[in-house]
Amino acid sequence: MKSIIFIVSLLCAVALPAQTQWHDPLKEEANVIQNQGWTHEIGKTYQRLPDRAAKKVRKPVWSLSENSAGLAIHFYTNAEKIEVRYGVTGSHAMPHMPATGKSGVDLYAMDSDGKWRVATDKFSFGDTVTYTFNNLSQSRYHKHGFEYRLFLPLYNSVKWMEIGVPDSAEFKFVPVLREKPIVVYGTSIAQGGCASRPGMAWTTVLSRKLDYPVVNLAFSGNGPLEKEFVDLIDEIDASLYVFDCLPNMGSLSSEEVIRRTVYGVEKLREKHDVPILIVDHIGYRNDELNELSRETADRMNAASRQAFDSLVELGVKNIYHLHKDSINMPADGCVDNIHPSDLGMQVYADAYEKIIRKILNMPVGKISTTRPVSQRREPYIYEWKERHAGILQNIQLQRPEKVIIGNSITHYWGGEPGRENGSQSWKNRVQPAGYLNLGYGWDRVENVLWRVYHGELDDYRASEVVLMIGTNNLGSVSDEEIVEGLEFLLEQIKIRQPEARIKVVGLLPRRNKESEVTAINRQISKMASLNNYRYLDVGNKLLTKSGKIDESLFLDGLHPNEKGYSLIVNDIIE
């Protein structure tokens, strides 16, 4: 009897293996399938076109639209192990494209500082395809993990899918992003042929480079810029439309290429004034040996450029052209005569990024403070991107007259969500003056740049923009890099709000860094003056005669309390 009791006790003492909790994206209340284009109609599927399109497009187009190319699922988790299992309708591989690209998935993490990390481990292809990612690292700021992005198969149709994490782990899907997407209409090249994995398709690489939604409406052998499909694309409210269709237009006459290009631009321009980008055929890899191949590509490019030139002459605005020389596909950039390898996909993505950043006014610099990134450094209080989505919604509703952009010093002045450090002066003075709070805890200069590039200053005209940012960059980069980043950021603010009076608030003093703050504020003041921004140095009111912070005006040596905010509010809003 004692032996039995001992064995039972021993079994109880041994930890049971962790159970897996499985999450089905299609069973979420909110739509979580990213990059679909018609989310309200098809958000609970893995297809790319609404059902009604089956009667409008050719059968091959409809069949290919059921491939999940470009679709992605975003989620947060702190799991050290992530499993993905799913079923597909077609064969796993093609002669010139591996199973990992045609039917596989790709998992990327975006860490708390906005840096991309690719996850790789084990996978298996069968009736059920499985991917397992073990020993995943964690955030150095908190215990709530990273944001993950799962990119779906490029050339297969997903029947069902589940994402599994240990039952002790946190897990939350990210709803569909609110930003207006870039919409790409194209051929097999844009669909993803022949990337080795979904994350290497050029549209997917571009979405990571820009950290922006990209809707992939490309169809292998079936993207010849057809009227029926242009009419469908016209339904999508985009930030940019891309026509990369020439590789499927070789059988058409030059006149027909011109006609379809002109129709596509004019149709979109009837309802949308956003940019349209027309892209050259890169040419065939054997064009030096095959005269017919060279003539075909050259003829299509000549016709497309003729259409572009005629549209410009007619006064059509905001249209752009990507020349094949700007793509500069290397001889070894394809797996065959036309379909890019991973090398070729990177070349495509680089060329697209360069021109799209110019078109959409989203330049990047060489130092960290001029390279836009998101962040997730305090999810224990709120989700940074959830706040961003809420801000975009508020902007649509309120069309604010004035905004204050900043970090937690700004955010917690207003008090929602999270702490209320100075809510009385905000509610009594700032809010009645018409300001919208665009402060985010832990933000640095480069994080504000990301927010500016993702719509927080778009679609309204402010009379005033107040910028209070930079203190969280202290110690991680030089003062000169902070000032250069501020100047870069202010230029982007001015582009989006050309009529606004722009105020630059010097860094507030902080415990044990008073002299450092004073020194950098001299540089900020000089930069602001040279660029005709109004500079405000309000921090002196928070110092003692000895030059140290007045502790009675702060909560923690960094964030002012109610009394501290009340001393600086007049200088900021008047």
Side-chain angles (χ1 to χ4, degrees):
M1 185 67 178
K2 290 181 179 180
S3 297
I4 294 174
I5 293 174
F6 173 76
I7 293 171
V8 171
S9 300
L10 182 62
L11 289 173
C12 291
V14 176
L16 294 174
Q19 300 297 306
T20 300
Q21 53 171 310
W22 293 97
H23 303 269
D24 184 340
L26 301 187
K27 292 182 179 178
E28 288 294 297
E29 181 178 351
N31 292 318
V32 300
I33 309 302
Q34 308 285 344
N35 308 327
Q36 278 186 313
W38 290 269
T39 295
H40 295 301
E41 291 185 67
I42 59 176
K44 300 298 183 182
T45 73
Y46 295 107
Q47 63 195 57
R48 293 186 286 158
L49 293 181
D51 289 344
R52 57 186 168 82
K55 297 179 180 180
K56 298 182 179 181
V57 301
R58 291 180 294 106
K59 187 175 180 180
V61 175
W62 174 253
S63 178
L64 287 162
S65 77
E66 296 182 298
N67 293 169
S68 54
L71 301 187
I73 301 166
H74 302 182
F75 56 88
Y76 300 115
T77 186
N78 59 357
E80 295 183 359
K81 177 181 180 181
I82 298 174
E83 299 176 79
V84 183
R85 63 187 185 190
Y86 59 99
V88 294
T89 60
S91 61
H92 292 143
M94 295 190 294
H96 61 335
M97 189 171 181
T100 50
K102 180 178 185 289
S103 307
V105 296
D106 236 343
L107 185 66
Y108 282 75
M110 181 177 285
D111 72 14
S112 297
D113 292 318
K115 297 179 181 178
W116 289 99
R117 303 180 181 186
V118 62
T120 58
D121 204 349
K122 303 175 182 178
F123 54 84
S124 175
F125 288 87
D127 291 339
T128 295
V129 184
T130 62
Y131 275 72
T132 304
F133 306 92
N134 289 292
N135 303 315
L136 297 170
S137 60
Q138 300 298 309
S139 173
R140 63 190 179 94
Y141 295 98
H142 50 74
K143 298 180 180 179
H144 300 280
F146 294 145
E147 176 186 344
Y148 287 88
R149 299 191 180 180
L150 184 71
F151 298 103
L152 304 192
L154 297 170
Y155 268 75
N156 221 323
S157 303
V158 176
K159 296 187 293 185
W160 62 274
M161 174 174 284
E162 293 180 321
I163 301 170
V165 296
D167 56 7
S168 59
E170 299 175 13
F171 186 94
K172 180 170 62 174
F173 285 111
V174 176
V176 170
L177 303 179
R178 289 185 174 272
E179 288 89 347
K180 295 179 181 180
I182 295 167
V183 174
V184 177
Y185 177 25
T187 69
S188 55
I189 298 170
Q191 181 170 340
C194 291
S196 66
R197 48 190 178 84
M200 292 310 302
W202 74 254
T203 57
T204 311
V205 177
L206 179 67
S207 75
R208 294 197 304 276
K209 283 175 169 287
L210 299 175
D211 196 10
Y212 220 83
V214 176
V215 175
N216 185 322
L217 295 176
F219 308 97
S220 182
N222 287 276
L225 197 50
E226 294 173 297
K227 174 185 182 300
E228 296 78 9
F229 207 84
V230 171
D231 292 347
L232 279 171
I233 291 176
D234 188 47
E235 299 173 357
I236 303 175
D237 191 11
S239 63
L240 168 70
Y241 299 95
V242 176
F243 290 157
D244 192 349
C245 297
L246 291 180
N248 283 168
M249 300 175 78
S251 63
L252 304 177
S253 67
S254 295
E255 291 74 21
E256 183 64 11
V257 172
I258 293 171
R259 188 188 71 79
R260 293 191 183 194
T261 303
V262 170
Y263 176 82
V265 172
E266 291 184 338
K267 177 62 178 177
L268 294 179
R269 191 54 80 234
E270 288 176 4
K271 192 164 66 175
H272 310 279
D273 60 1
V274 300
I276 300 170
L277 176 61
I278 301 170
V279 183
D280 265 358
H281 191 313
I282 60 169
Y284 297 97
R285 297 306 87 197
N286 68 344
D287 60 2
E288 292 186 1
L289 303 175
N290 188 316
E291 185 175 350
L292 180 60
S293 294
R294 181 173 64 254
E295 289 178 351
T296 299
D298 288 347
R299 179 179 62 82
M300 286 186 286
N301 283 339
S304 177
R305 293 170 197 165
Q306 183 178 337
F308 176 84
D309 291 341
S310 68
L311 288 163
V312 172
E313 289 176 6
L314 288 171
V316 178
K317 304 295 184 182
N318 216 8
I319 60 173
Y320 300 86
H321 173 245
L322 179 56
H323 195 284
K324 72 172 187 177
D325 291 347
S326 296
I327 300 173
N328 195 25
M329 183 62 63
D332 292 333
C334 295
V335 302
D336 54 16
N337 201 21
I338 186 65
H339 296 98
S341 61
D342 288 354
L343 170 62
M345 290 292 185
Q346 287 282 2
V347 170
Y348 256 113
D350 289 344
Y352 268 103
E353 180 191 16
K354 184 177 181 180
I355 192 169
I356 289 174
R357 285 198 178 279
K358 183 177 180 179
I359 292 170
L360 297 182
N361 288 317
M362 299 195 305
V364 295
K366 295 182 179 180
I367 59 176
S368 64
T369 51
T370 61
R371 303 189 66 84
V373 293
S374 62
Q375 59 104 340
R376 189 173 183 255
R377 289 188 274 267
E378 58 172 4
Y380 44 87
I381 298 178
Y382 65 92
E383 285 292 355
W384 192 85
K385 286 186 176 174
E386 285 182 9
R387 176 162 173 79
H388 171 66
I391 288 292
L392 294 183
Q393 188 173 29
N394 286 341
I395 286 170
Q396 291 296 318
L397 294 173
Q398 300 179 27
R399 305 291 179 180
E401 179 185 351
K402 303 173 184 177
V403 295
I404 300 183
I405 305 173
N407 48 47
S408 57
I409 296 172
T410 302
H411 184 185
Y412 298 132
W413 191 1
E416 290 186 36
R419 298 177 296 187
E420 294 187 0
N421 295 352
S423 59
Q424 292 305 308
S425 58
W426 181 271
K427 293 174 182 176
N428 295 335
R429 298 297 314 283
V430 186
Q431 191 170 323
Y435 291 90
L436 178 65
N437 190 317
L438 300 186
Y440 291 52
W442 269 101
D443 256 17
R444 297 171 181 162
V445 174
E446 57 268 28
N447 305 133
V448 174
L449 185 63
W450 186 99
R451 296 198 275 124
V452 167
Y453 286 176
H454 285 74
E456 293 192 9
L457 292 178
D458 295 344
D459 299 327
Y460 65 98
R461 281 289 173 259
S463 62
E464 184 172 293
V465 176
V466 180
L467 182 65
M468 300 175 60
I469 198 68
T471 193
N472 289 325
N473 292 93
L474 289 173
S476 61
V477 296
S478 68
D479 289 359
E480 290 73 22
E481 288 173 310
I482 296 174
V483 177
E484 184 176 340
L486 285 170
E487 186 172 24
F488 192 92
L489 170 60
L490 286 161
E491 182 179 354
Q492 302 313 311
I493 292 173
K494 189 66 176 178
I495 288 172
R496 287 158 177 81
Q497 294 290 342
E499 300 171 9
R501 178 174 61 166
I502 297 178
K503 298 177 180 177
V504 183
V505 181
L507 305 192
L508 298 189
R510 53 191 298 176
R511 183 186 296 142
N512 299 327
K513 291 192 175 183
E514 292 89 346
S515 58
E516 184 178 344
V517 169
T518 298
I520 192 172
N521 278 346
R522 293 194 194 99
Q523 296 185 51
I524 296 173
S525 174
K526 182 178 179 181
M527 177 273 295
S529 176
L530 290 172
N531 290 280
N532 295 316
Y533 305 123
R534 183 180 176 189
Y535 175 74
L536 304 176
D537 189 359
V538 302
N540 288 334
K541 294 187 175 182
L542 305 176
L543 296 172
T544 64
K545 293 181 179 179
S546 65
K548 296 293 184 180
I549 65 167
D550 185 337
E551 295 286 354
S552 69
L553 304 177
F554 288 82
L555 291 172
D556 51 13
L558 172 64
H559 300 90
N561 57 23
E562 188 69 64
K563 185 178 180 181
Y565 281 117
S566 68
L567 291 177
I568 64 176
V569 61
N570 287 342
D571 290 340
I572 292 176
I573 70 171
E574 292 182 353

